């Protein structure tokens, strides 16, 4: 808990002076004012994160992906066996899964972390921070202890800080865990006060006739555990998952170290909701990558007051949205650094003369 408390206390608001300087710089770049829209907003936000209007081109980037299994799988909330978590996580480090392929295409490094998968055998290339082999069944009691919830978050902080020491300037988050849309939907239900049936979705291929059962399991878990929606750690412990806790830790750790975090889809929204309860200032450090195709996605983003960069009708997870958004962030930075300036080009003299003639 000491690490979590220390990190949370060291999260400060974005540097407004740097944001204003970045906006002034954009206003001097040769283009109609604000015509590059979100690209301008992204770089101004990043200036506030870094505390400087000087942003390096193509900063070193990685996606930290956490893997964890879930006891609630026993309730029949997923059509797939839990073995899929481990089998697919091997593909995070060999470049064969969706996020790994997108990351490799865009020169983004993958950092894979076993935080709670079933199975004791290590996977080559995967960091072993296993808390234990999956959470408990949240439909019968808490998913984990409060101590394990804090431990999951602190693992995320530790891995984030390792990456920051290694020179990463933009960090994305991702995950894998069969059944993890169930705890994510539970977290959103608790935080929003909405009944699970209003926001539950298929996840990874659940038949439509099973949706009511999935919603019933989530509702039962919430009723049994009665998590306090204002206490992010309690919500994580009672109806969350280890990989969700790991992503919470990355968000908090990066915010305390003034590093932007590119969040992914629905599961990462649940992590952001918990991070917001722990320290609301942490949300200022997040760049939402895409609008997840999951049913509750828009509600979660509305609570977080976030507008994602992309809408690609994706719901893969893994960090795939973060991998797609990072090249757009690179493009925004490159334009910011390399466009000509009105103050340094003949067109600027012409426009100033023209506006003077027009009495502006």
């Amino acid at each position: 808990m000491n690490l979590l408390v220390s990190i949370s206390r060291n999260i400060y608001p974005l540097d407004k002076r740097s944001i204003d300087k970045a906006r002034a710089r954009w206003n001097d770049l040769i283009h109609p004012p604000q015509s590059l829209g979100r690209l301008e907003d992204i770089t101004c936000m990043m200036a506030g994160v870094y505390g400087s209007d000087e942003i390096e081109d193509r900063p070193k980037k990685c996606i930290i992906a956490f893997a964890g299994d879930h006891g609630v799988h026993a309730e029949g909330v997923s059509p797939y066996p839990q073995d899929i978590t481990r089998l697919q996580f091997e593909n995070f480090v060999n470049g064969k899964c969706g996020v790994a392929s997108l990351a490799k295409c865009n020169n983004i490094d993958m950092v894979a972390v076993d935080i709670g998968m079933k199975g004791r055998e290590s996977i080559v290339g995967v960091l072993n921070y296993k808390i234990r082999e999956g959470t408990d069944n949240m439909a019968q009691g808490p998913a984990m202890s409060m101590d394990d919830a804090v431990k999951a978050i602190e693992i995320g902080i530790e891995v984030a800080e390792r990456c920051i020491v290694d020179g990463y300037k933009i960090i994305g988050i991702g995950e894998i865990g069969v059944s993890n849309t169930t705890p994510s939907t539970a977290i959103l239900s608790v935080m929003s006060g909405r009944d699970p049936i209003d926001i539950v979705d298929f996840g990874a291929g659940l038949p439509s006739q099973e949706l009511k059962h999935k919603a019933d399991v989530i509702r039962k878990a919430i009723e049994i555990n009665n998590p306090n929606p204002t206490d992010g750690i309690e919500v994580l412990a009672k109806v969350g998952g280890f990989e969700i806790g790991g992503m919470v830790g990355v968000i908090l750790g990066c915010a305390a170290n003034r590093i932007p975090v590119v969040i992914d889809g629905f599961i990462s929204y649940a992590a952001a909701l918990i991070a917001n309860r722990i320290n609301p200032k942490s949300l200022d450090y997040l760049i939402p990558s895409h609008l997840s195709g999951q049913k509750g996605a828009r509600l979660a983003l509305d609570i977080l007051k976030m507008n994602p960069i992309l809408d690609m009708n994706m719901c893969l997870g893994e960090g795939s949205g973060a991998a797609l958004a990072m090249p757009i962030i690179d493009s925004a930075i490159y334009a910011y650094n390399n466009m000509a300036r009105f103050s340094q080009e003949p067109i600027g003299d012409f426009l100033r003369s023209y506006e003077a003639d027009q009495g502006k």
Side-chain angles (χ1 to χ4, degrees), residues 39-102:
L39 298 185
E40 300 183 32
D41 296 338
I42 289 168
T43 49
C44 290
M45 171 264 188
M46 293 177 72
V49 170
Y50 295 134
S52 171
D53 64 317
E54 297 295 327
I55 307 171
E56 67 179 89
D57 281 336
R58 299 185 178 92
K60 189 177 179 184
K61 296 175 289 296
C62 72
I63 294 173
I64 303 174
F66 296 90
D69 281 307
H70 298 268
V72 74
H73 179 271
E75 300 294 325
V77 293
S78 172
Y80 297 107
Q82 288 185 301
D83 295 344
I84 294 294
T85 302
R86 170 172 287 272
L87 291 170
Q88 180 69 334
F89 206 45
E90 294 177 1
N91 293 325
F92 278 63
V93 290
N94 65 23
K96 293 181 180 179
C97 70
V99 65
S101 298
L102 292 169

Side-chain angles (χ1 to χ4, degrees), residues 31 47 76 82 127 134 149 152 186 190 194 222 243 267 308 342 349 356:
H31 72 310
Q82 288 185 301
L127 300 178
V190 171
R194 298 284 289 273
I222 294 171
E243 76 276 41
I267 316 301
F342 285 117
D349 294 334

Side-chain angles (χ1 to χ4, degrees), residues 118-139:
K118 285 190 172 297
R120 296 184 180 180
E121 187 176 344
S122 296
I123 299 173
V124 175
V126 172
L127 300 178
N128 187 356
Y129 282 86
K130 191 191 301 289
I131 297 172
R132 53 188 172 86
E133 295 183 52
T135 58
D136 293 326
N137 185 350
M138 68 181 194

